[in-house]
Amino acid sequence: MSGVKDFVQHYEAHKKSVFTYILYRVSFDRDLAEDLTSEIFLKAFEYFDTYDKNRPFKPWIFRIARNHFINYLVSKKSQKTTSLEDIGELPHEANIEDKTDTKLLMERMEIFVRELPETQQELILLRYQNGLSHKEIAELVEKDEGAVRTAISRSLDALRQKYYAAKNKERIPLEDIP
Amino acid sequence: MMHNPEQNPADIEKLLKNLPKYEMRKAKELQFYAKLMKLARQKKQALREERYQARGVFSSFSIFRSFAFASAAVIILFTATVGFALSPNVTEGDLLYPVKKWEERFELTLSDDPAVRVERHMRFAGRRLSELKTLLKDDPEFLRQVLIPTAKAAALSANFNDLSPEVQATIEAYYDETSKASEEASKIKEVKKAEKVLRIVIEAQEKHVEKFESMIPLAPEKVKPVLAEALTAVEKHQALAVEKKVEISRLFKAKTEEVVLQMIPLREVVQEIRAQGEISEAKLEKRKEIAAQTLENAKAKLETLKQKIAADPGVRTEELEAFKKFVEEKLSEAEEALKKEKYGTVHGLSNATDAMIKKFQLYKEFKSEEEARKHSEEKKRIFEKEMTDGETEFFKDFEKFREKTEAAYPYDTQKIKPQITTPQVTTPQVTTKQTYPKTGAGYKEGFYDADEKKRLLELIDEKIRSLKIEYPSADYQHKDVEDLRNMLRYLEGYEKTSGTGTGFLEDGGSIGSAGSTGPGFREEWLQADLIETEEDFKASTGPGF
């Protein structure tokens, strides 16, 4: 039996998602996010026998990722008291090739998402960037599905307001979005 | 499962769904894979043990169903019989050691698969290290050193050949096993397999490094350098393997199936490290030749000087006579130094003579030292201005080049960035008052070789221009940046060493600090291909002797 082979396939398929998710949550500290992502997948591998192969992998790995991240926060808090809420200045990732309007929009949206309160940010990322269903998210964050739905819709409202405010200021054609 | 269009306008959702995802850096992923594989092996091992315990060795006849199982059973039986021989406590020199070796050879005959054989060789290499640890622990010398601290000092000067034959043999055996592993690995032709094997090798090397690291602090003093050498070699070897692996992963992604996996044996890496430590005969011979040539040149110049004095008694004859005598003295010193193989001194003295002779010409030209100094200061000023302007231009170009590279390879350049630091435009520091009288011509005549420096700048400039034309791949760019860096370093070195001119400064000047030694042999050595290592580079300035 080749559990390793299966696992590596899952890893390759989901590494980007998990890494990006963590990257947002550690306010784009690349080194830290890389370490945490590695740890998450190693932990996942340890418990890979318990994973039910008939169910999708994504919610499973995200559950581990989330728990691991929370554990990390707890351990960090015992050393230092810094909350993710007080991120302050956002570090800049200069890596987008040519700055077309679409890219600009995307970058702006990324910053808006990064500015969201932590819980809202997480929901938005899980829902849209990682395509988890409301039900899956509800299970993951241990909340009522209806509550998740409302929270997401509220976050969307907040994002929309910010987005249109910025857009009216600079008039970037929305039609250019891919 | 899909979103609710009334609540969530599609445009925002669209953007959110397309938010960029980020990738981990390759090196980190590699580390992750190494850890994953280690974990996998541990898991497998645990599982095997569990099953083995649950089933018992003979409870099931199904064990004989296939040949694979049969051979496994043979190994289990066999290991049970010679199990105690396999412990790390059985080392070279023990009665049971041949049994251990025999078992290993037997295990090797079980498979023709290079991948399996590589794994085994690496494992056996690991065993050698465990034995080494045992040997070093049991070494009476070690005990003596702990009990009598002075023995430690005596042992410091010992080298590899003074090691006990068992320790020596075990280290050799370690090199043997790893070299065989490389040999087996080089037989592999499929990309997929090569990747797997490299992973095995890298992991094993990881363990070996750990073992060496734990061994070194405890080892007797005389063994420490040997272990340190091996450790450096293994680390270097591992770096090579990792490099290979990255290369192969790329091939794998490009769907290439065949590969030539040439692995350098660890022993060769060791030899390379040793060769770097000692200077080869040929190199020494060449150095001697160059030094002798320099002395010859200086002598010839002295002849010219004598002739000039004879032909043109000039203004300050007495002074010039004393001067000639002084130069002659220095040249005979240089001759002595050549016999003693102190090439740095030869060079320093010869070059100083050269400079002194130039000074003589200035004496004639300007009548007084004061006048000569004024002349030289003016020259220096002009030169510095020229250079500063030239360099400003050049570094402007360099900045442009860097910006462009960064735009093209954002992640890679992030790594490279701290390495390419634009050197500050500094003018060489010469305190005229202190050095002038003793150092001879100094920067007056040609020691600020403006042409040479211009040539260097142009060379670098050319390189940058050529880079602008082609950006074929990230690797290509890495190499070129490295080249550039070397060139810049050379340029910096040039600045440092060629400024002051040469002289007879009594406080170690002509053979001591780089400042007063002059350009040293660098130019000559570079032309003769004598500069291969960092050490050569340093030695070429003169003070290295």
Side-chain angles (χ1 to χ4, degrees), chain B residues 438-472:
Chain B
K438 282 179 182 170
T439 38
Y443 47 77
K444 256 180 213 147
E445 290 288 332
F447 278 88
Y448 274 154
D449 193 341
D451 290 341
E452 167 63 4
K453 204 165 164 189
K454 260 187 190 157
R455 189 183 68 83
L456 278 170
L457 284 171
E458 273 165 20
L459 205 72
I460 296 173
D461 193 41
E462 201 183 295
K463 181 91 192 168
I464 289 176
R465 278 178 214 291
S466 73
L467 283 177
K468 278 182 186 162
I469 304 165
E470 37 184 347
Y471 279 105

Side-chain angles (χ1 to χ4, degrees), chain A residues 8 11-12 15-17 19-20 30-31 34-35 41 45 95 106 110 127-129 156 160 164, chain B residues 1-3 7-9 11 13 16 18 20-23 25 28-29 32-33 36 43 411:
Chain A
V8 167
Y11 167 75
E12 288 295 337
K15 61 181 184 186
K16 265 189 179 179
S17 303
F19 175 61
T20 308
R30 180 171 265 278
D31 285 327
E34 279 168 347
D35 287 345
F41 276 101
F45 180 66
N95 68 331
M106 203 61 94
E110 201 179 333
R127 176 73 184 96
Y128 294 104
Q129 202 176 35
L156 268 185
R160 199 188 316 130
Y164 281 115
Chain B
M1 168 108 193
M2 276 290 101
H3 55 266
Q7 271 186 328
N8 314 326
D11 47 3
E13 292 190 334
L16 285 173
N18 285 306
K21 283 190 179 168
Y22 294 88
E23 269 187 270
R25 281 169 292 194
K28 287 274 182 174
E29 275 207 61
F32 164 76
Y33 265 116
L36 182 70
K43 247 178 135 179
Y411 284 125

